[in-house]
């Protein structure tokens, strides 16, 4: 409890990775901090997203890699042991218990308030506690909203009654469905199609648009579609769901826009995210319930007088990725502590008090087979932003390290070069094992490293990283 009863320097709504990092940095700066959480401390990432999903996907990738090497594929027989994979997944989700995360909060002196918190005017938070009571928390300096997002479901006949999967059920299910329909063409859809197909489900992927991963370079979505089809996924583009029916026997039928019907045992709808702000009391501070909370680069919510309300992570819609939320949390928590202490802020474009990476250097890995690792702008996005750019492509299979990594290696790299500054504004790698290439690209973009200097960053031979040399050679011609 704070020094003045239920009064704290900072009150944080949401104890996911973003809220934890923001609270930790503020606490390290000398502030008293309370965190309000109605579910599990650790949030979506720990229990229903990053950790369990990657635990499901890693065995599939390991098996696929083994089958790509002569001498190894002969030693690998059979399919994945689904029970063992799911048990390992459960371990990475801490068996949906948050004791360890709670203990960490206690160890750094952050108070946990269990329950549903709502804003109640300036610097006030009311909490319906999990034991049926209520508390009113007063923030002497700031409130930070870190409540994240939830799955968005379309309005379709029969959908609510059908009790379909969202990302939560897809990452926590304990039984492998015989037939799984996946609706969507984004990251969750393609990753979960990959994972459950490897575990034995017959998977049909229904994509309303004409390509997968439509926010990446076009070739990324095409290579992922090829990989899914080779794994046995039925990928259908240009098809949407018009209605859903759940039979008494438990099976599903999906009515499709092409007039056909698709039977399934389960259906995952991976059709976007919406902010967890509908029941957060935003109207008490002049904001609209259910909306994203826009902020400036120091985390202060725009449209709320006084500069006391902050929003970090998915809820501010800057970059819906766990690592970006943690990044914002570290910066915004320090900003709050510095402001309370009267320390000067470093608000220069690349200063420690602003979150600039959300605009210029957002990295993301899609853990499909092949993997997609991308940072910055695509070629199309760069041109739409008015930059004079050139896309430099190289086939990864022509890199010695890649050919050693897998027989018949297939993949592609693209660097998007700002021709006026001769720096990189975007990089995409697609292929087996490319995830670990991404941080070098992120550094090059975030650091605005001139191509003339990248010539002197020598990649080790024979590694896949040699693609950097080949991209530079291709650019120079």
């Amino acid at each position: 409890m704070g020094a003045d009863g239920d009064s704290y320097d900072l009150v944080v709504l949401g104890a996911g990775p973003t809220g934890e990092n923001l609270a930790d940095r503020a606490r390290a700066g000398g502030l008293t901090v309370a965190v309000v959480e109605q579910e599990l401390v650790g949030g979506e990432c720990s229990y229903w997203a990053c950790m369990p999903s990657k635990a499901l996907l890693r065995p599939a990738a390991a098996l696929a890699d083994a089958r790509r090497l002569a001498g190894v594929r002969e030693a690998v027989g059979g399919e994945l042991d689904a029970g063992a994979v799911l048990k390992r997944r459960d371990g990475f989700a801490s068996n949906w218990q948050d004791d360890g995360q709670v203990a960490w909060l206690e160890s750094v002196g952050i108070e946990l308030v269990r329950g549903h918190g709502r804003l109640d005017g300036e610097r006030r938070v009311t909490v319906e506690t999990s034991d049926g009571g209520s508390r009113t928390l007063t923030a002497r300096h700031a409130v930070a909203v870190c409540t994240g997002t939830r799955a968005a479901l379309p309005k379709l006949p029969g959908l609510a009654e059908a009790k379909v999967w969202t990302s939560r059920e897809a990452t926590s299910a304990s039984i492998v469905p015989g037939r799984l329909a996946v609706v969507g063409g984004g990251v969750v859809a393609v990753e979960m199609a990959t994972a459950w197909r490897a575990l034995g489900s017959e998977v049909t992927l229904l994509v309303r648009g004409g390509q997968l991963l439509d926010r990446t370079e076009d070739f990324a979505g095409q290579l992922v579609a090829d990989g899914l089809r080779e794994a046995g996924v039925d990928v259908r583009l240009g098809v949407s769901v018009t209605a859903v029916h759940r039979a008494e026997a438990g099976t599903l039928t999906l009515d499709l826009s092409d007039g056909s019907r698709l039977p399934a045992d389960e259906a995952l709808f991976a059709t976007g995210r919406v902010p967890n702000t509908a029941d957060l009391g935003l109207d008490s501070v002049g904001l609209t319930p259910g909306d994203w909370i826009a902020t400036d680069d120091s985390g202060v919510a725009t449209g709320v007088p006084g500069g006391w309300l902050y929003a970090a992570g998915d809820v501010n819609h800057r970059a819906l990725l766990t690592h970006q939320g943690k990044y914002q949390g570290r910066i915004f928590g320090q900003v709050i502590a510095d402001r309370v202490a009267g320390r000067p802020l470093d608000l220069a474009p690349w200063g420690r008090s602003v979150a600039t990476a959300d605009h210029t250097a957002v990295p993301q890995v899609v853990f499909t087979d092949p993997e997609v690792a991308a940072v910055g702008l695509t070629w199309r996005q760069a041109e739409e932003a008015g930059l004079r750019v050139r896309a430099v492509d190289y086939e990864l299979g022509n890199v010695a390290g890649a050919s050693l990594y897998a027989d018949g290696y297939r993949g592609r790299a693209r660097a998007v070069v700002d021709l006026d500054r001769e720096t990189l504004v975007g990089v995409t790698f697609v292929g087996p094992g490319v995830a670990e290439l991404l941080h070098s690209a992120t550094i090059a973009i975030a650091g605005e490293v001139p191509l003339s200097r990248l010539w002197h960053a020598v990649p080790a031979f024979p590694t896949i990283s040699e693609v950097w040399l080949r991209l530079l050679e291709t650019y120079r011609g």
Side-chain angles (χ1 to χ4, degrees):
M1 187 172 290
D4 302 318
D6 275 354
S7 180
Y8 304 83
D9 293 323
L10 169 66
V11 176
V12 179
L13 292 173
T18 298
E20 288 179 318
N21 275 270
L22 192 149
D24 182 45
R25 192 57 59 96
R27 182 74 186 105
L31 305 190
T32 57
V33 182
V35 173
V36 181
E37 177 55 60
Q38 64 178 333
E39 293 190 302
L40 297 176
V41 176
E44 200 80 9
C45 175
S46 297
Y47 307 103
W48 300 286
C50 320
M51 297 308 292
S53 68
K54 302 321 170 269
L56 289 173
L57 286 157
R58 178 56 194 151
L63 182 59
D65 282 345
R67 288 173 172 169
R68 279 189 277 261
L69 286 175
V72 179
R73 71 172 68 96
E74 291 80 3
V76 178
E79 302 298 328
L80 293 177
D81 183 327
V85 172
L86 295 177
K87 182 177 180 180
R88 182 174 182 268
R89 182 273 319 270
D90 293 352
F92 276 96
S94 301
N95 292 294
W96 292 274
Q97 300 293 320
D98 64 359
D99 298 0
Q101 301 272 27
V102 172
W104 174 79
L105 286 178
E106 294 173 348
S107 74
V108 296
I110 296 170
E111 180 172 350
L112 171 64
V113 180
R114 295 266 194 191
H116 178 63
R118 296 181 183 87
L119 295 169
D120 184 24
E122 184 172 342
R123 296 184 176 89
R124 283 167 54 91
V125 173
T126 59
V127 183
E128 296 176 8
T129 58
S130 55
D131 60 6
S134 66
R135 289 175 63 178
T136 298
L137 310 180
T138 301
R140 287 187 289 270
H141 299 287
V143 175
V145 179
C146 307
T147 51
T149 60
R150 67 181 187 278
L153 290 173
K155 294 181 179 179
L156 292 175
L159 187 65
E161 298 78 10
K163 296 182 179 179
V164 298
W165 281 9
T166 67
S167 55
R168 284 199 168 194
E169 290 77 20
T171 55
S172 63
S174 59
I175 297 174
V176 178
R179 300 165 300 175
L180 174 65
V182 179
V183 183
V187 176
V188 172
V190 296
E191 286 191 344
M192 290 299 94
T194 299
W196 288 103
R197 176 67 193 118
L199 289 172
S201 292
E202 294 180 8
V203 177
T204 302
L205 182 61
L206 304 170
V207 186
R208 182 174 58 184
Q211 70 175 77
L212 304 182
L213 303 173
D214 59 5
R215 296 181 182 178
T216 64
E217 299 285 6
D218 291 348
F219 66 84
Q222 183 58 59
L223 288 170
V224 170
D226 292 345
L228 287 168
R229 288 187 173 110
E230 289 174 10
V233 175
D234 180 2
V235 179
R236 304 186 192 181
L237 303 177
V239 178
S240 57
V241 179
T242 59
V244 182
H245 312 275
R246 173 78 76 172
E248 291 184 6
T251 58
L252 287 164
T253 301
L254 281 67
D255 294 347
L256 306 182
S257 57
D258 61 7
S260 65
R261 308 189 85 188
L262 178 68
D265 296 296
E266 298 291 350
L268 162 62
F269 276 73
T271 48
R273 309 286 297 180
V274 292
N276 276 322
T277 61
D279 189 19
L280 203 61
L282 292 188
D283 52 330
S284 74
V285 297
L287 299 178
T288 303
D291 279 0
W292 306 97
I293 303 176
T295 72
D296 64 18
D297 286 347
S298 68
V300 175
T302 57
V304 179
W308 60 272
L309 184 64
Y310 291 73
D314 286 7
V315 76
N316 65 24
H317 208 225
R318 293 165 66 93
L320 277 65
L321 294 161
T322 295
H323 45 274
Q324 294 299 125
K326 293 166 69 174
Y327 160 75
Q328 292 173 20
R330 293 190 296 270
I331 290 178
F332 300 165
Q334 187 64 55
V335 166
I336 295 168
D338 287 346
R339 281 180 169 150
V340 172
R343 291 186 287 265
L345 301 182
D346 183 3
L347 296 173
W350 292 102
R352 63 182 174 83
S353 301
V354 290
T356 55
D358 298 333
H359 307 302
T360 59
V362 177
Q364 182 173 20
V365 178
V366 185
F367 291 88
T368 45
D369 182 24
E371 292 175 344
V372 178
V375 60
L377 302 175
T378 65
W379 183 20
R380 182 181 297 115
Q381 289 166 347
E383 288 192 323
E384 290 173 351
L387 299 178
R388 194 171 67 91
V389 293
R390 175 184 165 193
V392 182
D393 293 347
Y394 197 81
E395 294 300 319
L396 275 168
N398 294 332
V399 176
S403 63
L404 287 168
Y405 187 93
D407 299 339
Y409 190 106
R410 286 182 295 166
R412 189 172 174 187
R414 170 171 288 177
V416 182
V417 180
D418 182 331
L419 295 173
D420 293 323
R421 296 184 301 148
E422 283 214 319
T423 58
L424 298 175
V425 294
V427 178
T428 298
F429 303 109
V430 183
V434 298
E436 299 302 333
L437 292 176
L438 188 57
H439 196 55
S440 56
T442 304
I443 292 170
I445 293 173
E448 299 180 352
V449 181
L451 297 190
S452 59
R453 290 301 306 156
L454 285 180
W455 273 106
H456 302 284
V458 182
F461 180 87
T463 66
I464 304 177
S465 292
E466 196 182 15
V467 68
W468 280 107
L469 173 59
R470 303 307 173 206
L471 287 168
L472 290 169
E473 287 176 335
T474 303
Y475 175 71
R476 288 188 65 175

